[in-house]
Amino acid sequence: MIDFISTILEFFSQMMSSVYSGPAHNPLFFVAAVGSILVIERLMPADTAQPVLSVGFLQDCVWSGLTLIFQGFVTVVYVQGLERIYLSNFSYLTHPAVHQWPGWLRFLFAVLLVDLAAWIQHWLKHKIPWFWQMHAVHHSQPQMNLFTDLRRHFLELFILRSFSVVPLFILGVDTIQVGYFGIFMVWQTRFYHANIKWNMGWLRYIFVTPQSHRIHHSIELRHQDKNLGVMFSFWDRLFGTQYDLCEEYPVTGISDRGMPLEKNSSPLSLAAVPIKQLAYPFWVIGKDLRGRR
């Protein structure tokens, strides 16, 4: 019994350290980054009627805590399991010649490969109906904010991590470089999910922007399945999924009226909605299966 408890405590210790370690989770860094994005939202809002501290923002703060716990679990259990499977059965994919490349070249290639893999898994989540039911939880937010990226169904994280870590195993990229890349990626996604009216000028041809990603979250049919990029926008231009009009800032959300949404900022409502949204995809998939019989 004591060994079992020790194992559980060790697991939670690893999980929390994997989620909260590093400069990205330094309190001063976090406050400065969040404060900067909130100021930009105030100065350049895409939706002028949306309060900075909206009900959607408060709901996504609750989602943030849940998702960070999910991420810790996936990192400690699932990703480590993937690594063991890779080393046992697929280590031949890590060609010795790759390790002869300069470190910067391996890192650059890894960034491009990981982002391409992220684009592919994002495309799959929009095209495979059952994957979409999980991803729709993320798209349900009508009040975009910097924490919207953390509104994610826990099953979606398994898909995301499967596509993102295998390229790193293959290339054997230095973990410190991966850490700094992760910091940039986390805060870029928070930035472009925010309620910001900015297309970033010529940089939009390289990076995903608040304007281009708002198109991706649009409730309008003509915007559906567009701008799937995670970090770089040029994959969408290459694969024909880029929506080129860069001055549109549409209403966001999904057309599924059955999806549970936050209605007010009461603690009970904020606690209940994530539970309902986590359960809703299973209800839809179950209904679909019953309809096929």
Side-chain angles (χ1 to χ4, degrees):
M1 185 64 178
I2 294 175
D3 290 341
F4 174 75
I5 294 174
S6 299
T7 301
I8 295 297
L9 291 175
E10 182 181 359
F11 162 72
F12 276 102
S13 175
Q14 290 182 34
M15 185 178 74
M16 290 298 103
S17 65
S18 72
V19 172
Y20 292 106
S21 62
H25 298 289
N26 179 288
L28 292 178
F29 178 93
F30 181 83
V31 169
V34 169
S36 299
I37 294 175
L38 292 178
V39 168
I40 297 172
E41 278 192 329
R42 182 71 176 175
L43 296 175
M44 301 188 304
D47 179 0
T48 56
Q50 178 179 314
V52 172
L53 301 180
S54 63
V55 174
F57 174 85
L58 296 176
Q59 187 67 77
D60 285 344
C61 286
V62 175
W63 267 107
S64 298
L66 290 174
T67 301
L68 289 173
I69 293 173
F70 293 153
Q71 283 180 341
F73 175 81
V74 171
T75 300
V76 172
V77 178
Y78 182 66
V79 172
Q80 290 186 4
L82 276 181
E83 185 175 21
R84 284 194 292 269
I85 293 171
Y86 178 84
L87 293 174
S88 299
N89 302 281
F90 303 101
S91 58
Y92 62 85
L93 294 175
T94 305
H95 197 279
V98 172
H99 292 280
Q100 304 304 314
W101 297 359
W104 66 267
L105 182 59
R106 268 193 297 151
F107 175 68
L108 179 61
F109 192 73
V111 168
L112 292 173
L113 192 59
V114 167
D115 198 57
L116 174 59
W119 186 96
I120 292 170
Q121 63 86 30
H122 198 179
W123 181 85
L124 290 172
K125 286 188 290 192
H126 277 256
K127 296 301 182 181
I128 299 175
W130 288 8
F131 283 8
W132 165 250
Q133 293 304 327
M134 304 300 169
H135 190 50
V137 171
H138 174 64
H139 275 264
S140 67
Q141 177 58 281
Q143 297 179 315
M144 298 282 285
N145 63 84
L146 77 162
F147 291 130
T148 294
D149 188 50
L150 291 170
R151 181 186 290 231
R152 290 187 180 276
H153 199 284
F154 69 93
L155 289 182
E156 187 180 351
L157 294 173
F158 289 94
I159 303 170
L160 178 61
R161 290 293 174 264
S162 297
F163 277 82
S164 62
V165 300
V166 172
L168 299 178
F169 295 158
I170 294 173
L171 293 170
V173 178
D174 182 83
T175 55
I176 295 177
Q177 291 178 323
V178 172
Y180 283 108
F181 168 59
I183 293 171
F184 176 80
M185 203 166 187
V186 163
W187 286 99
Q188 187 202 8
T189 56
R190 287 178 182 172
F191 173 70
Y192 66 59
H193 277 93
N195 180 36
I196 294 174
K197 188 176 183 179
W198 191 24
N199 64 26
M200 294 175 58
W202 63 269
L203 284 173
R204 70 179 182 273
Y205 295 106
I206 303 173
F207 296 106
V208 176
T209 73
Q211 186 277 331
S212 68
H213 201 68
R214 191 174 186 89
I215 291 291
H216 177 70
H217 277 261
S218 172
I219 202 167
E220 297 183 34
L221 186 61
R222 62 200 173 99
H223 296 146
Q224 299 302 299
D225 303 337
K226 299 294 184 181
N227 299 2
L228 296 161
V230 176
M231 175 181 287
F232 298 118
S233 62
F234 46 68
W235 303 120
D236 285 302
R237 299 184 188 282
L238 179 63
F239 298 122
T241 52
Q242 179 70 28
Y243 186 84
D244 277 323
L245 299 181
C246 61
E247 295 298 336
E248 296 184 21
Y249 293 87
V251 173
T252 62
I254 56 175
S255 57
D256 184 355
R257 297 184 179 275
M259 173 68 75
L261 296 176
E262 57 273 21
K263 301 298 183 183
N264 58 70
S265 58
S266 71
L268 183 60
S269 174
L270 295 177
V273 168
I275 297 172
K276 293 177 182 178
Q277 288 193 333
L278 286 170
Y280 183 71
F282 297 112
W283 182 83
V284 174
I285 292 171
K287 184 179 177 182
D288 181 50
L289 287 173
R290 290 191 298 271
R292 294 182 183 184
R293 291 176 182 174

